[in-house]
Amino acid sequence: MSLVLQQAQREMAAYLRDPGGLSPPAGIESRRLQIYRDLVYRNIEGFISSAFPVLRGLYDDVSWEARVRAFIQSHRCKTPLFLRISEEFLSFLAALPEGELRPFEAELAHYEWLELAVDVAEGQVPEVFTPAPDLKLTQLMAAVAQTAQLGSYRYPVHRIGQSFQPDSPGDPSFLLVYRDRESRVQFMELSPGSARLIQEVREGGDGSVAELLGRLAIDWGMSETQLLDFGWTQLKEFNDAGIIDLRILAV
């Protein structure tokens, strides 16, 4: 590719990023430039609006267009994949100076993004595990499915909308987003204890379920018997839902 063509492409790309602030490239009629401007904006805006419908609903049309155009103009994406545009927009929001967003917006956007992340995640939903009657928890391991994500938020992002926009944080919200066995994305609000169990499974490595629950029993000041009953019930329910993969430890 010639240097002249490369320079022309850079000038065109810069103009399409910021048509209101830069002069159009020479030698291209305005009608054609308008087509390119519309294509760039509408394609990107369409992906963002579909990924963040609740967030979009909190903006009027003028304010939303200004937000999207600021993203196009100033953010430098790290991937050319259209499916990753929503993730790039999330990074753009997180980098904005304090006061540019309503206090809950970044968390709301992350919660909405989890839906897309789970929907396109690689990996299979775990199979239902049926334990043998004599199975011991020392023989079993657990792992969080690739098709499940846990979000922890200061704001109740799952309740935010036009009629509810909190000004200050409340009790933490723990929200699990996962893909079920019919390939549908589902949402589940967790108690702090259940969220901690999921997190412990995610960080627990290759140890047994008995070891995992034993660590939690020490942290929570519970007897192992008490926690084994609670923890195994929870793990089995999570497995039945397709969130936790349970399998026999390799000997």
Side-chain angles (χ1 to χ4, degrees), residues 144-166:
V144 178
Q146 291 178 284
T147 51
Q149 292 284 344
L150 175 65
S152 174
Y153 305 104
R154 298 175 303 145
Y155 291 86
V157 290
H158 55 307
R159 297 196 290 116
I160 289 175
Q162 285 283 0
S163 60
F164 178 63
Q165 299 179 38

Side-chain angles (χ1 to χ4, degrees), residues 32-70:
R32 293 181 180 274
L33 287 173
Q34 184 65 51
I35 291 172
Y36 284 118
R37 288 198 301 266
D38 289 344
L39 281 173
V40 169
Y41 175 77
R42 289 176 182 170
N43 274 286
I44 294 176
E45 193 278 334
F47 272 97
I48 294 173
S49 290
S50 63
F52 305 99
V54 178
L55 183 67
R56 170 64 182 95
L58 302 181
Y59 284 75
D60 60 44
D61 292 345
V62 173
S63 300
W64 180 249
E65 180 174 345
R67 181 71 77 203
V68 175
R69 288 198 180 279

Side-chain angles (χ1 to χ4, degrees), residues 107 134 152 159 212-213:
E107 289 193 345
D134 60 345
S152 174
R159 297 196 290 116
L212 182 153
L213 296 178

Side-chain angles (χ1 to χ4, degrees), residues 9 23 29 41 44 57 62 79 83 105 113 130 145 168-169 174 185 187 206 208 210 213 215 217-218 225 242:
Q9 288 179 331
S23 299
E29 63 176 302
Y41 175 77
I44 294 176
V62 173
T79 171
L83 277 176
E105 279 192 57
W113 169 78
T130 303
S168 58
F174 303 97
V185 176
F187 303 84
D206 298 327
S208 71
L213 296 178
R215 289 193 298 271
I218 293 172
T225 301

Side-chain angles (χ1 to χ4, degrees), residues 5-23:
L5 179 56
Q6 288 182 24
Q7 181 61 29
Q9 288 179 331
R10 292 192 187 98
E11 290 178 1
M12 184 65 162
Y15 170 72
L16 293 177
R17 280 182 175 275
D18 185 17
L22 296 177
S23 299

